[in-house]
Amino acid sequence: MRISELSKHSGVSTASIKFYLREGLLPAGKQTAPNQADYNDQHVRRLRLIRALIDVGGLSVSVARATLATIDHESASAHDTFGAVMHGLDDIEPDDATTDVARTYDEVREWISARDWHVDPAAPAPFRLAELVATLRRFDFPIDLNYFDDVADAAEATAWGEVNYARTRPDRASAVEAMAIGTVVIGQAVNEIRRIALEAISFRIQNAGDDSRPVTP
């Protein structure tokens, strides 16, 4: 298909397609003339992945490019590739931490170990969690890591489903795509569910009468 047909099939504007080509997110089509190229269903699939990562997941172009490069790296094992995708979703320097974040990071690593979770020491997510917990404490939230035990249990259960689903995909590329989309989009969905729950509980307490104590479900 020509680029105009690719735009029609994918729902992505021609201008955006040309931008993704220039940025190296979308592989070039088969050259048929100096200013013409043909595209196929793989390009449609790739465009849907790009839009999911950037538009839905909120990734920057540079992070999306790195994530896609990981997906395209054929020699890495499935686990190493999954890990690279997870690590590529953050751009942080764990060594650049304030004292309270560094102290909380040690707590996070102990909490992870107590759960018998094996996580790469270079993984950015534990450091990001430490930043978030330290920020909550600065605002006097009475939080320790055990506060997140129920959340972690639920996350572990859904992670089993996500990883097993990805591993049943027919080829490596689609398996890693599934992990990337699951990580970004399901993560967003969980956050939206929490926001809905916050509003619902606020309404329930607001309408429970003059007594503003928490209402037992």
Side-chain angles (χ1 to χ4, degrees):
M1 66 187 82
R2 299 293 176 86
I3 193 167
S4 58
E5 297 172 292
L6 178 61
S7 175
K8 180 179 178 180
H9 280 79
S10 65
V12 179
S13 70
T14 300
S16 292
I17 292 173
K18 290 179 178 179
F19 172 74
Y20 296 146
L21 286 166
R22 289 196 303 272
E23 291 295 320
L25 278 72
L26 182 69
K30 181 180 179 182
Q31 203 75 26
T32 57
N35 294 315
Q36 288 186 349
D38 276 344
Y39 302 90
N40 57 36
D41 290 340
Q42 291 301 313
H43 290 90
V44 175
R45 176 178 172 179
R46 181 65 162 231
L47 281 169
R48 289 173 179 162
L49 175 60
I50 292 169
R51 296 308 287 263
L53 294 175
I54 293 175
D55 293 352
V56 180
L59 302 190
S60 67
V61 169
S62 61
V63 173
R65 185 190 301 112
T67 302
L68 292 167
T70 299
I71 291 172
D72 293 337
H73 194 273
E74 293 288 344
S75 62
S77 69
H79 173 71
D80 288 343
T81 305
F82 290 168
V85 169
M86 304 303 104
H87 300 178
L89 300 180
D90 283 295
D91 183 18
I92 59 174
E93 293 293 336
D95 292 333
D96 183 18
T98 59
T99 301
D100 61 338
V101 172
R103 184 169 54 249
T104 307
Y105 181 61
D106 289 339
E107 292 179 45
V108 169
R109 298 299 308 185
E110 291 175 6
W111 179 73
I112 290 172
S113 178
R115 295 192 62 86
D116 198 26
W117 284 358
H118 176 79
V119 178
D120 190 326
F127 183 79
R128 178 66 73 200
L129 178 57
E131 286 186 317
L132 296 170
V133 171
T135 299
L136 288 169
R137 289 172 175 172
R138 290 170 197 158
F139 287 90
D140 300 321
F141 278 75
I143 281 183
D144 61 24
L145 271 298
N146 291 332
Y147 174 86
F148 297 103
D149 282 342
D150 288 344
V151 175
D153 290 342
E156 184 171 340
T158 59
W160 276 103
E162 288 182 55
V163 175
N164 281 326
Y165 169 75
R167 287 182 174 274
T168 64
R169 304 302 293 159
D171 55 68
R172 179 191 168 282
S174 60
V176 181
E177 284 177 7
M179 283 299 297
I181 290 298
T183 300
V184 173
V185 180
I186 292 178
Q188 291 282 5
V190 169
N191 188 53
E192 296 308 319
I193 291 169
R194 180 180 174 275
R195 290 171 61 183
I196 294 167
L198 284 168
E199 181 174 347
I201 295 303
S202 177
F203 177 85
R204 187 180 300 174
I205 293 173
Q206 172 76 18
N207 291 276
D210 292 336
D211 188 351
S212 62
R213 290 174 299 176
V215 176
T216 301

